Amino acid sequence: MQTTARPPLVPRLQGFLETHWRGFMVSVVVAVAAQFLSEHYGAPAMLMALLLGIAFHFLTEDSGGACKAGIEFTARTVLRFGVALLGVRISVELMIGLGANLISVVVLAVILTILFGLVLSRLLGRGWRFGLLTGGSVAICGASAAMAIAAVLPKNEHSERNLIFTVLSVTVLSTIAMIAYPILTEAFDFNDEVSGVFLGGTIHDVAQVVGAGFSVSDQAGEVATMVKLIRVAMLAPVVLIISIAVRRFAEDNATDGAHPPILPGFVIGFLIFATLNSIGLMPAILIDAMSSLSRWALLVSIAAVGMKTSLKRILDVGGQAIAMIVIETVFIAVFVLLGVTLLGH
């Protein structure tokens, strides 16, 4: 039997670059513009990248458009690359100092918020995918978690719309929390450690956690960052569990015919980098460089994700979806608040 020989690597790579570079570069330009707005006007970079990306949705409307393939690649592959690099931020040594009780509160908050999202989605008549997506993004690390979870969920006609809505919502809610939650810590007369645990355990996105924590004090900022990293560390096991559950329990007609792998490559990368950092094999300069690269990869990919979905489709998501993500945000805030209060911190 004759087999068709694959073309040599160099021509294949050249062909790939010719079809994908335009969409990728458009995403990079949008991400740079978003970062500029963030640095000069104080707006969250993720939110700006998403909104600017939505404004360029017309680039993906034409199935034969020159930018479409590159935008699809950026929204999918560059995203996974950015999530994998998030692992360099994780270090077991940094987390041990918080103590078993506080770590338990944070871990329980993540697990219960995801389960609460599933229950709430059923009560409000939303699909289980949406419950996992919103619950996971609120519980773990906002936009980054939403994109990672969406990568392993079976796709349907609402997948992209729900992802955009979730990223937009958690970014806006995280920005509101960055302003409001430090005021709450002062109203409750929390000390620096409790303030850090509350802020790191409840605010969705890493950047907003850092902003809120250090606005209280340096110690609160350091504790908040460590607590947030515990939540980020749970991204890999949560995505793995969701991937296994989807393969085993999701109905066949709920997918587009392609099951995600049991252990996605970006999760493996996340775990490898976290392990290398935890055992001290990564120098500080490399950790800083990879953390920065991860942030830029996520920023570029969220710009591409924005380009893939129209504003009209986002608005079709409905009031129940808004209520869901707000209620989930309140749930994790109340749980962490009760946890640190009962522990006597």
Side-chain angles (χ1 to χ4, degrees), residues 65-116:
C67 295
K68 186 176 177 64
I71 292 171
E72 293 279 355
F73 166 80
T74 305
R76 181 182 65 255
T77 305
V78 176
L79 160 66
R80 287 163 168 76
F81 176 73
V83 173
L85 291 183
L86 275 177
V88 301
R89 300 185 184 186
I90 308 303
S91 170
V92 173
E93 182 182 356
L94 288 175
M95 299 175 187
I96 291 176
L98 287 175
N101 288 336
L102 288 179
I103 291 175
S104 297
V105 169
V106 176
V107 171
L108 269 177
V110 170
I111 296 171
L112 293 179
T113 301
I114 295 172
L115 295 176
F116 180 71

Side-chain angles (χ1 to χ4, degrees), residues 56-72:
F56 285 88
H57 172 66
F58 65 88
L59 293 175
T60 61
E61 288 179 337
D62 182 5
S63 59
C67 295
K68 186 176 177 64
I71 292 171
E72 293 279 355

Side-chain angles (χ1 to χ4, degrees), residues 246-300:
V246 164
R247 290 175 63 92
R248 182 164 184 176
F249 299 112
E251 60 274 19
D252 292 337
N253 59 6
T255 72
D256 59 4
H259 288 284
I262 292 178
L263 189 59
F266 69 88
V267 175
I268 296 175
F270 183 102
L271 293 172
I272 289 173
F273 290 131
T275 301
L276 291 175
N277 188 28
S278 295
I279 61 179
L281 294 182
M282 300 188 71
I285 188 171
L286 183 59
I287 293 172
D288 290 342
M290 293 177 69
S291 295
S292 179
L293 183 58
S294 170
R295 183 181 174 282
W296 273 105
L298 292 173
L299 196 61
V300 170

Side-chain angles (χ1 to χ4, degrees), residues 17 27 40 44 96 103-104 112 150 170 183 199 210 254 287 300 305 323 338:
L17 292 175
S27 303
H40 289 79
I96 291 176
I103 291 175
S104 297
L112 293 179
V170 294
I183 298 174
L199 297 173
V210 174
I287 293 172
V300 170
V305 169
L338 289 175

Side-chain angles (χ1 to χ4, degrees), residues 104-328:
S104 297
V105 169
V106 176
V107 171
L108 269 177
V110 170
I111 296 171
L112 293 179
T113 301
I114 295 172
L115 295 176
F116 180 71
L118 281 171
V119 172
L120 196 58
S121 67
R122 192 173 187 86
L123 293 176
L124 295 179
R126 309 294 305 195
W128 59 271
R129 296 178 188 82
F130 193 69
L132 279 176
L133 188 62
T134 57
S137 64
V138 168
I140 303 173
C141 53
S144 303
M147 293 188 288
I149 291 170
V152 298
L153 289 177
K155 301 295 186 289
N156 63 13
E157 66 274 17
H158 302 305
S159 295
E160 289 182 5
R161 181 202 68 184
N162 290 343
L163 173 59
I164 290 288
F165 167 80
T166 302
V167 170
L168 180 62
S169 299
V170 294
T171 306
V172 170
L173 288 171
S174 191
T175 303
I176 294 172
M178 179 181 66
I179 299 169
Y181 285 7
I183 298 174
L184 284 179
T185 63
E186 185 176 345
F188 284 107
D189 197 25
F190 289 157
N191 61 33
D192 288 341
E193 183 185 30
V194 176
S195 295
V197 173
F198 175 69
L199 297 173
T202 57
I203 298 177
H204 309 324
D205 286 315
V206 176
Q208 278 83 345
V209 167
V210 174
F214 282 97
S215 72
V216 174
S217 71
D218 287 347
Q219 183 184 355
E222 292 169 0
V223 173
T225 302
M226 285 192 292
V227 170
K228 184 61 183 177
L229 290 179
I230 295 176
R231 294 167 67 193
V232 174
M234 294 192 68
L235 179 61
V238 166
V239 170
L240 174 58
I241 291 169
I242 291 174
S243 179
I244 294 172
V246 164
R247 290 175 63 92
R248 182 164 184 176
F249 299 112
E251 60 274 19
D252 292 337
N253 59 6
T255 72
D256 59 4
H259 288 284
I262 292 178
L263 189 59
F266 69 88
V267 175
I268 296 175
F270 183 102
L271 293 172
I272 289 173
F273 290 131
T275 301
L276 291 175
N277 188 28
S278 295
I279 61 179
L281 294 182
M282 300 188 71
I285 188 171
L286 183 59
I287 293 172
D288 290 342
M290 293 177 69
S291 295
S292 179
L293 183 58
S294 170
R295 183 181 174 282
W296 273 105
L298 292 173
L299 196 61
V300 170
S301 62
I302 196 60
V305 169
M307 294 178 200
K308 291 178 62 180
T309 303
S310 68
L311 183 59
K312 182 180 181 299
R313 290 185 63 196
I314 299 172
L315 297 176
D316 289 341
V317 76
Q320 288 179 331
I322 298 173
M324 265 190 67
I325 205 160
V326 171
I327 293 170
E328 290 162 358

